[in-house]
Amino acid sequence: MEKQIRIEADTLFLPICAGKKTEIVECFCEGKKVMELQVPVDIPEKNGYHIDYYARFPVKQFAGKTLILRGHMPESFLEEIRNEAVCDTAASDRTESNRLRRPRIHFTAQTGWINDPNGLVYKDGYFHLYFQYNPYDIAWGNMCWGHAVSRDLLHWTQQDTVLYPDEHGTVFSGSGVVNEHGMLGLPESALLFFYTAAGACNRWCENDNSTQRLAYSLDGGATLQKMNWELATICKENRDPKVFWHEESRAYIMVLWLEKNDFGVLRSEDLRSWRMTDRITLDQAWECPDLIRLSGADGGAEWMFWSADGYYYWGTFDGFRFQTDGVRHEAYLGKLPYAAQTYAGVSDRVISVPWLRLPNRGTLYTGAMGLPRELSVVRLDGEKYLAQSLPREWRESCVPVDLTEMEAGDRLMYHGGEEVLELRVRLREDTQEMALRFGKDTLTYNKKSGILSVNGTDYPIGCDVRDFSFLLDDVILEVTAKYDTIIGVFELQERECIIEIERDAFEKMQMNRM
C-alpha cells in the first residue's frame, strides 16, 4: 500500500495498535528514503480501525514537499495517519482512559517502550534524562532517544524525542558531556552526545556494522543535531560509548563495549581523533560500560569499572589503562536494574540511574527508570563497599509521617493511597526475624541465616544486618540495607500502598511520604 502526504504541519501522527504484529513503514521524499519504522498494525474492523494512541514523527524539514509512505499495512491504517499541528482525535481520549496508575517518582514514558538511560547531563539547573525509546510500540524496536527533564531528580517532564533512526542505523546507547573545553568549533555552552548507530538493526542498513557517532545541542538539550563524524568500527557490534574528561592526563576518555566480555579504553584531546590505549576483559561483564571516579575515605580517587548488569570492578586508572584485580562485585539483588549510567556536569557527587526491566502489565507504556542514587565508597570492618544512597533531593522533599496515624495492634498498618512511602527501620538486637507486608506482597529477613526473601525468592545478604530502608512507589519497591551497601529493586504484585509491620521487632522506625 502507498499513501502520498503533502506536508503542511511539523508532525506526522502515526496510529499505534500496541502489541500487535509489526509491519515496516518506509517514507520517501523526492526519491530518497528518509524514514523506516516498524509499526504494529491491526486487522480492520467494521466499526473502524483500532487505535491505542498516536505517535509523533517530525517532518518540519519537509514542509511544502510530498512524502510517500509505503508498506504492507491495511488501507485503514494509512487513512488514520495525520499531518496536523495537534492530533485531536478519539484515540487521544482512549489513551487517557486506558492509562493505568503509574509510579510517581520513577520515570515512565507517556506511551511506548523505554530501556537504557542515555546522555545523562546536568546543565543550567536541569537534569537531562535521555533514554532508549520506541515511541511506536510497547515492545523493543525502532530505537530512538527520548528525553525528559527534572530540577529535583524526582519529578520528570517528558520532552520531544531528539534522535531518530537513519541510514546509519537505529540509535543505541551513549553519553553526554558539557563542551567546557570549547571543542569541535562549538561554544562552551554546547552539549555533546556520543551514541552508537546500530547497523544491521533494520532493513535500511542491514549489512552495516555499528559505528560511534556524535550529536550536539545549542539550545540546552531540547534539540540535537547530528554531526558528520564517526569512529571507525573496532568490532562489528561495538557500542555504548561513555565519554568523560580526565583532568590529570588532560584528555577525553571513552569506554566502549567491544565484544563478549571485552571493553576498550580510548583517548582524545580534540573529540575527533581517538586511539585505543587499553583493551580489558572482565569476568561476565557485558555492554553499557561506565568508568567512575569516587572519592575514598582518605580523599584520594577510587576508580570503578561498571557494566550493564551492575557488575563492577575496583581498580586504578591513569588516563591510559584501567588496572584491576578482576574481582567481580554485584551492585544489585536480582536482575531488575540494568544499564545504569552516571551524570556528567555534576561536580559535588556521583549520581547513577538504572533502567528497571519491568514487564508490560496492560499499560500503554513499558519500563521505568530506577531512582537516581548517589554513589560513594564506605568502609565497614576494614572492607571497601559501594554505597548507593537516595539523593539529597528526597530528604529535602519528603514529609515525616506521624506514626500515631498507623493502625495499632500486634502489627502496625499504614494505608498510603497513591503516596510514595519510605520506611526506615533498625532491628532490635534480640530480633531474629523481620516480616513486612506490602498489600499482598511479603518480605522477610532472618538474621541468623542472612536470607532476605521477597515473595518467596531468597537473596543472601549476610547475617546480623539491622538497618533497612524500604521505598514504595506504586508497584516498585526499592530496598537498601547495611548503610546503603545492599540494594534490591523488586516489582510487587499489586498497586496497593499498604505497609504492615510487626510492632515489637524494631529499635527505631521512621516513615516518610511524598
Side-chain angles (χ1 to χ4, degrees):
M1 298 294 292
E2 178 178 300
K3 179 175 183 175
Q4 297 188 15
I5 304 175
R6 180 174 173 81
I7 300 303
E8 306 290 349
D10 292 348
T11 305
L12 274 185
F13 291 91
L14 304 179
I16 304 300
C17 187
K20 298 293 185 179
K21 179 182 177 182
T22 61
E23 297 288 352
I24 294 177
V25 179
E26 297 176 296
C27 181
F28 299 84
C29 182
E30 298 176 342
K32 180 181 178 182
K33 187 172 181 177
V34 296
M35 178 264 279
E36 177 187 300
L37 297 171
Q38 288 189 315
V39 179
V41 298
D42 200 8
I43 299 172
E45 300 177 357
K46 291 183 179 180
N47 59 348
Y49 185 78
H50 174 79
I51 303 170
D52 287 310
Y53 64 93
Y54 274 87
R56 298 168 177 260
F57 185 81
V59 291
K60 183 178 181 179
Q61 66 272 36
F62 306 115
K65 298 179 180 180
T66 297
L67 297 185
I68 301 174
L69 278 71
R70 295 177 183 149
H72 297 289
M73 67 282 296
E75 184 176 355
S76 53
F77 168 85
L78 295 174
E79 290 174 350
E80 291 290 348
I81 295 175
R82 303 281 189 261
N83 178 223
E84 303 169 353
V86 178
C87 190
D88 184 14
T89 71
S92 62
D93 294 334
R94 288 199 292 272
T95 297
E96 290 298 326
S97 64
N98 289 339
R99 183 178 296 131
L100 302 179
R101 181 173 144 188
R102 64 176 68 219
R104 292 188 61 191
I105 61 175
H106 289 77
F107 173 76
T108 56
Q110 288 299 308
T111 53
W113 161 285
I114 68 172
N115 53 286
D116 310 357
N118 296 155
L120 303 188
V121 63
Y122 178 75
K123 184 72 163 62
D124 298 332
Y126 286 95
F127 293 94
H128 293 269
L129 169 64
Y130 301 90
F131 50 91
Q132 291 285 278
Y133 187 34
N134 183 6
Y136 307 103
D137 201 357
I138 54 175
W140 184 90
N142 301 310
M143 284 294 94
C144 305
W145 271 26
H147 183 208
V149 297
S150 174
R151 286 191 175 275
D152 63 3
L153 293 169
L154 303 172
H155 303 93
W156 297 91
T157 303
Q158 188 169 347
Q159 308 292 303
D160 290 340
T161 303
V162 293
L163 291 175
Y164 289 86
D166 59 19
E167 68 274 19
H168 303 299
T170 54
V171 188
F172 273 21
S173 289
S175 58
V177 295
V178 180
N179 191 32
E180 57 187 355
H181 297 286
M183 298 295 179
L184 304 171
L186 297 171
E188 294 179 4
S189 60
L191 299 177
L192 309 177
F193 299 91
F194 290 82
Y195 67 93
T196 298
C201 282
N202 59 11
R203 191 167 67 183
W204 200 351
C205 55
E206 58 187 354
N207 297 317
D208 293 351
N209 295 329
S210 292
T211 57
Q212 316 317 311
R213 294 182 178 268
L214 178 61
Y216 66 92
S217 176
L218 300 179
D219 58 7
T223 61
L224 273 59
Q225 306 298 321
K226 295 176 180 177
M227 294 189 71
N228 184 24
W229 176 89
E230 69 175 273
L231 177 67
T233 301
I234 301 171
C235 297
K236 181 177 175 59
E237 296 184 8
N238 53 188
R239 59 177 175 263
D240 311 332
K242 181 63 163 75
V243 174
F244 65 94
W245 173 256
H246 186 253
E247 179 64 28
E248 289 82 356
S249 66
R250 303 294 296 173
Y252 284 96
I253 307 299
M254 177 190 295
V255 287
L256 187 69
W257 178 75
L258 301 179
E259 60 183 357
K260 299 179 181 178
N261 306 125
D262 288 4
F263 299 83
V265 176
L266 297 87
R267 286 174 55 86
S268 175
E269 296 179 358
D270 60 6
L271 292 179
R272 292 185 184 275
S273 300
W274 294 82
R275 65 185 180 96
M276 190 162 69
T277 59
D278 198 8
R279 179 167 179 155
I280 52 179
T281 302
L282 296 169
D283 176 36
Q284 299 186 46
W286 191 64
E287 70 175 10
C288 300
D290 204 345
L291 184 53
I292 303 168
R293 177 176 182 161
L294 299 172
S295 295
D298 60 357
E302 298 273 9
W303 286 93
M304 175 178 68
F305 200 104
W306 183 281
S307 66
D309 287 289
Y311 299 158
Y312 65 95
Y313 311 79
W314 296 114
T316 60
F317 182 63
D318 62 2
F320 296 84
R321 297 178 59 83
F322 177 74
Q323 296 184 314
T324 176
D325 59 11
V327 175
R328 176 173 57 87
H329 305 270
E330 298 185 19
Y332 306 113
L333 305 175
K335 297 296 184 181
L336 208 58
Y338 192 78
Q341 186 178 112
T342 55
Y343 263 92
V346 179
S347 60
D348 61 340
R349 51 185 172 155
V350 177
I351 302 171
S352 175
V353 180
W355 164 47
L356 302 183
R357 296 184 277 193
L358 295 170
N360 187 279
R361 304 292 188 190
T363 63
L364 294 179
Y365 66 91
T366 305
M369 294 300 170
L371 282 183
R373 287 185 175 267
E374 297 180 13
L375 306 186
S376 61
V377 177
V378 299
R379 291 193 175 271
L380 302 174
D381 299 324
E383 296 291 327
K384 180 167 62 177
Y385 291 88
L386 173 67
Q388 302 184 69
S389 305
L390 289 172
R392 63 189 182 214
E393 287 83 356
W394 168 258
R395 296 278 166 249
E396 294 166 354
S397 302
C398 65
V399 177
V401 172
D402 183 351
L403 296 181
T404 61
E405 297 179 24
M406 302 183 74
E407 297 178 13
D410 292 338
R411 301 175 67 85
L412 300 176
M413 182 178 295
Y414 182 81
H415 296 261
E418 296 188 5
E419 299 172 313
V420 180
L421 293 179
E422 180 199 26
L423 175 65
R424 301 175 66 86
V425 300
R426 181 169 177 81
L427 300 183
R428 289 167 44 136
E429 193 168 353
D430 60 352
T431 297
Q432 293 303 308
E433 185 166 270
M434 166 184 69
L436 291 86
R437 184 177 294 275
F438 303 91
K440 295 179 180 179
D441 298 89
T442 59
L443 181 149
T444 62
Y445 170 67
N446 186 287
K447 286 171 65 177
K448 185 176 181 180
S449 68
I451 298 296
L452 177 76
S453 180
V454 182
N455 287 332
T457 300
D458 292 344
Y459 303 92
I461 66 170
C463 301
D464 297 316
V465 177
R466 295 181 63 191
D467 64 287
F468 290 86
S469 168
F470 309 94
L471 190 140
L472 181 62
D473 182 13
D474 196 56
V475 296
I476 300 173
L477 174 66
E478 298 208 8
V479 180
T480 55
K482 199 176 179 180
Y483 307 102
D484 297 336
T485 62
I486 298 169
I487 179 170
V489 185
F490 308 97
E491 181 192 22
L492 301 183
Q493 301 176 64
E494 62 176 29
R495 301 166 181 265
E496 190 171 2
C497 189
I498 299 175
I499 296 180
E500 185 178 351
I501 59 177
E502 296 174 333
R503 170 185 287 275
D504 298 325
F506 305 109
E507 178 182 292
K508 294 181 181 179
M509 180 170 62
Q510 177 184 350
M511 187 178 292
N512 301 308
R513 66 185 175 195
M514 180 182 289

